[in-house]
Amino acid sequence: MDPYTLLGLAPNADVQEVKRAFRRLAMRWHPDRNSDPAALEHFKVLRAAYDHLVAIIESDAYQADSDVAPDEANRTDSADTSASSGPRGQDRVQDISLELEEAFFGCNRKVTLDTLSTCEVCDGSGHEALSYSQLCADCHGSGRTRSHAGLAKCVACDGQGYTRTRTCSGCEGSGSVGVPRTLSVKIPPGLLSDDWLRVAGEGEPSDDPLGTPGDLKLRLTIAPHPLYSLQGRNLVVDRPMSAFRMLIGGEIQVPVPDGIETVTIEPGEPCIREMRVPNAGFPGRRSEPRGDLLIRLRPVFPSLADDKLHKMIVSLERVLASDPARHLSPVDNWEVRWLGETHR
Ligand SMILES: [Zn+2]
Ligand SMILES: [Zn+2]
């Protein structure tokens, strides 16, 4: 039997149509899906017809391509080879953005993939059969259209003036439709921006019905966070702090994604300073250990809006000025050197 007829195809079918037709028939006749012993025999016949047609079409395509530039021909050739010989489908790459907390703890993340599947309205042909004849819209029934070379046979209706098919409304003639598919992907804790996560078997389907699909490769980005930033696995928190509190020292609290960290500050100068809490940062992964927590302290001086506070600071300043050598030695040294003892 003619291989085109076997696969239900017109004699001018292209390689995509052949693959699509075979995939559709394989769903019905593949031994995994059809336990009838006759099904296996029929599947083998279909498979032979498919291999035969693909080989013919590709050798035609190669001949047609052989006068183009060599690199162009190689590209066509290698694209065809990868499409027909590899039993495994292509990998699919998708970006996903995680909140910092999601990356910290790990999470189950819904990922929506847009997968192409055969249009059910037209069964992949791109056309819908009409139950009535319709006047051809291109030639208005004349069967001929005007071109730069004069009148020519109308391509849309093949010169008939009417059609019994129209472009499929389900797929606009492409034969396939995008079907959103949602997966739940388990994100382990401790992944960072630019890490990849591979989900086996969720990539593109193989062109070969016996082949396996490719993998889904997710590229991660951690979205900016209003409080935390990351330096590698170190978790950085900026914290404003009373300048007087920095002078006195004591305990402060710093939020971290998994709770609150209490840190003791040594008395010291009220200036920007960084404290490190080892092993309290972003979780480790595989051989990489957990990061540190870095706290950047920023001194804040009181604003003088308040009368009472103003008076207290004025009297504090008097106390400091009464013995500058003790309380404000850099100021005192500077003044003695550049203004002399007389300024007092
Ligand atoms: Zn026409
Ligand atoms: Zn369709």
Side-chain angles (χ1 to χ4, degrees):
M1 202 170 170
D2 167 40
Y4 285 102
T5 314
L6 257 176
L7 296 175
L9 289 163
N12 59 350
D14 66 20
V15 73
Q16 288 309 323
E17 288 171 313
V18 171
K19 286 175 179 174
R20 206 148 56 211
F22 179 55
R23 203 179 298 158
R24 199 161 59 231
L25 288 164
M27 298 282 234
R28 197 182 311 154
W29 297 104
H30 191 278
D32 286 353
R33 290 175 175 265
N34 192 329
S35 54
D36 185 339
L40 174 62
E41 286 315 305
H42 190 58
F43 179 75
K44 286 181 183 165
V45 173
L46 292 171
R47 173 93 214 190
Y50 167 76
D51 288 343
H52 179 66
L53 286 184
V54 169
I56 289 176
I57 293 171
E58 288 188 344
S59 74
D60 283 357
Y62 186 71
Q63 278 163 19
D65 281 335
S66 55
D67 10 338
V68 300
D71 59 337
E72 197 78 10
N74 286 338
R75 208 175 57 202
T76 313
D77 195 26
S78 67
D80 281 351
T81 313
S82 66
S84 59
S85 69
R88 193 170 167 279
Q90 302 277 313
D91 287 341
R92 171 192 283 266
V93 171
Q94 193 150 325
D95 290 308
I96 58 169
S97 171
L98 297 177
E99 297 300 324
L100 186 137
E101 288 87 348
E102 291 180 310
F104 188 100
F105 294 111
C107 61
N108 280 308
R109 180 57 185 269
K110 295 240 179 303
V111 178
T112 301
L113 308 172
D114 210 16
T115 51
L116 277 185
S117 87
T118 304
C119 174
E120 287 182 0
V121 177
C122 62
D123 214 15
S125 70
H127 301 292
E128 276 180 278
L130 296 169
S131 56
Y132 50 89
S133 299
Q134 193 179 40
L135 203 65
C136 173
D138 283 26
C139 63
H140 308 288
S142 72
R144 292 191 289 177
T145 48
R146 202 172 293 279
S147 72
H148 57 276
L151 284 176
K153 190 167 87 168
C154 172
V155 181
C157 63
D158 200 26
Q160 305 236 41
Y162 62 90
T163 57
R164 281 182 160 277
T165 60
R166 68 172 170 205
T167 303
C168 171
S169 56
C171 61
E172 284 162 353
S174 68
S176 45
V177 285
V179 181
R181 192 161 57 96
T182 303
L183 296 177
S184 183
V185 177
K186 189 169 164 52
I187 312 277
L191 289 175
L192 293 170
S193 283
D194 295 329
D195 278 348
W196 290 83
L197 194 65
R198 183 182 282 269
V199 187
E202 297 292 353
E204 307 292 350
S206 173
D207 280 328
D208 185 329
L210 299 176
T212 52
D215 294 342
L216 170 64
K217 291 163 77 185
L218 297 171
R219 179 171 39 206
L220 270 73
T221 308
I222 299 179
H225 193 280
L227 174 63
Y228 305 116
S229 59
L230 287 172
Q231 282 179 354
R233 290 189 183 275
N234 293 337
L235 189 66
V236 184
V237 181
D238 277 297
R239 194 198 200 289
M241 190 176 173
S242 158
F244 292 106
R245 190 73 186 281
M246 287 177 94
L247 275 170
I248 303 164
E251 282 188 347
I252 59 160
Q253 295 189 312
V254 178
V256 283
D258 51 351
I260 287 183
E261 194 76 35
T262 301
V263 186
T264 305
I265 308 289
E266 295 301 316
E269 271 188 75
C271 58
I272 291 176
R273 107 166 83 129
E274 192 172 89
M275 300 198 46
R276 181 180 288 262
V277 185
N279 220 29
F282 203 73
R285 181 158 166 77
R286 304 224 164 95
S287 59
E288 290 179 54
R290 186 170 188 169
D292 298 339
L293 171 64
L294 301 179
I295 308 165
R296 282 198 195 125
L297 296 176
R298 179 166 51 86
V300 176
F301 289 86
S303 57
L304 292 178
D306 184 289
D307 263 4
K308 187 179 162 201
L309 192 59
H310 184 256
K311 280 179 189 144
M312 288 171 74
I313 292 174
V314 168
S315 56
L316 172 65
E317 177 55 23
R318 276 199 201 106
V319 172
L320 298 177
S322 69
D323 192 355
R326 183 173 168 209
H327 302 302
L328 301 166
S329 63
V331 179
D332 191 53
N333 291 343
W334 189 93
E335 288 179 345
V336 168
R337 180 167 179 193
W338 301 110
L339 298 170
E341 292 290 343
T342 53
H343 80 277
R344 288 203 176 126

